[in-house]
Every structure is written in C-alpha cells, then in structure tokens.
Amino acid sequence: MKDYTGKLNDHEEYKKVIEALEKTCKYLEYVIIEEDTFIKTFENLILSKKLKNKWWGTKSSQKRIVYRLKAAPEIFRHLKKIETFCKYKISMEGDFVEETNFGCNDIAFFDDQEIPLLFTTTHEGYILLREDFYKER
C-alpha cells in the first residue's frame, strides 16, 4: 500500500481515483465513527453489518459498526459529488485534517480477491492506496 495522505486534497484528482475504483471495486466497507446518511441512502446494498474494533488501517479500543456494501453505480455517483474524503494540511503549527462533506467515517474499497484498493482513516486524514491499482498521473 502506498501512503496517499494529502494527495487527494484536490477534487479533480479525487474524482479520477473514484472513477478508477468504480471499474475495479467489488465491495466496500464503511465504518461508522459518527452517524450520517450514507448507510441509510444505500441500505439496499448492505451485505453485512458487524461490530468490530479492527478494520483496515485502524485498531481501536472502541467497537464500531462496519458495514459491507455491494459496489454499485449509485454509490460512485454519490462519491463523485463529494469534494474529497478529507484534506490533510501542513501549517506552521503542524499537520491537521480538514473535514469535508464526506464526514469523518472510514471507508475501504476491495477487489474480487478481497484485497483493498484504497482505505481511509478519515478523521486522521490518512489515505492508503494499492500501487498496482492506480498510478499517479
């Protein structure tokens, strides 16, 4: 996995990655850190729901609900309307994360071999991407 933190701050680059994910992704996992409307919007695509304290990129002392959803065009249409997952910024005071209209929940995209293509630890601003899946342009 390649650290892609801060490289999707731009909406156009984010959209390119979402379009590439749409072509390859078979299912995704969505971790509820803070309630939002994403799961309600796509409840017909839920494959499973589990309470876990470990998911891609994170191990937590708190258990969170991890939803597995079927990858479907309507999810990717929705994601393309979002600015980006999060914005990782560096300032004189240090690194910080700027939340976007995606929110703070984590998301991971998987291929048909159940290998992650991309996953986020959104509230911390981390994005990791599988190198053989997407090359920077």
Side-chain angles (χ1 to χ4, degrees):
M1 298 300 285
K2 180 178 181 176
D3 186 357
Y4 228 64
T5 300
K7 295 185 179 177
L8 294 184
N9 284 358
D10 176 72
H11 179 68
E12 290 307 313
E13 184 63 21
Y14 163 81
K15 271 183 33 181
K16 289 177 190 173
V17 170
I18 295 299
E19 287 167 359
L21 286 167
E22 185 172 13
K23 294 175 187 170
T24 310
C25 181
K26 298 302 176 196
Y27 72 91
L28 55 114
E29 289 184 348
Y30 191 79
V31 183
I32 302 295
I33 307 299
E34 216 173 79
E35 288 295 325
D36 66 7
T37 60
F38 187 88
I39 290 302
K40 185 77 172 154
T41 303
F42 302 111
E43 63 188 349
N44 62 320
L45 299 172
I46 295 172
L47 300 171
S48 67
K49 173 184 173 182
K50 295 181 180 173
L51 196 59
K52 299 168 123 182
N53 70 334
K54 188 176 180 185
W55 55 91
W56 279 98
T58 303
K59 184 174 182 181
S60 173
S61 58
Q62 288 186 303
K63 290 194 174 196
R64 302 289 187 178
I65 299 173
V66 179
Y67 289 91
R68 183 175 284 197
L69 297 101
K70 178 183 172 187
E74 55 263 42
I75 289 177
F76 292 99
R77 277 193 301 273
H78 172 79
L79 290 172
K80 287 175 194 171
K81 294 177 188 172
I82 290 170
E83 183 181 7
T84 185
F85 297 120
C86 56
K87 290 186 176 182
Y88 188 83
K89 307 255 180 137
I90 301 171
S91 74
M92 297 294 274
E93 291 81 37
D95 302 355
F96 67 98
V97 179
E98 185 179 297
E99 193 172 295
T100 68
N101 55 344
F102 178 75
C104 67
N105 294 331
D106 294 346
I107 193 166
F109 300 84
F110 297 86
D111 66 11
D112 58 354
Q113 302 295 307
E114 298 189 11
I115 300 169
L117 301 163
L118 178 147
F119 63 86
T120 72
T121 307
T122 311
H123 69 283
E124 293 178 8
Y126 302 135
I127 299 172
L128 279 92
L129 182 128
R130 200 168 84 201
E131 279 187 81
D132 68 336
F133 152 70
Y134 184 80
K135 302 286 183 204
E136 288 181 69
R137 293 174 187 2

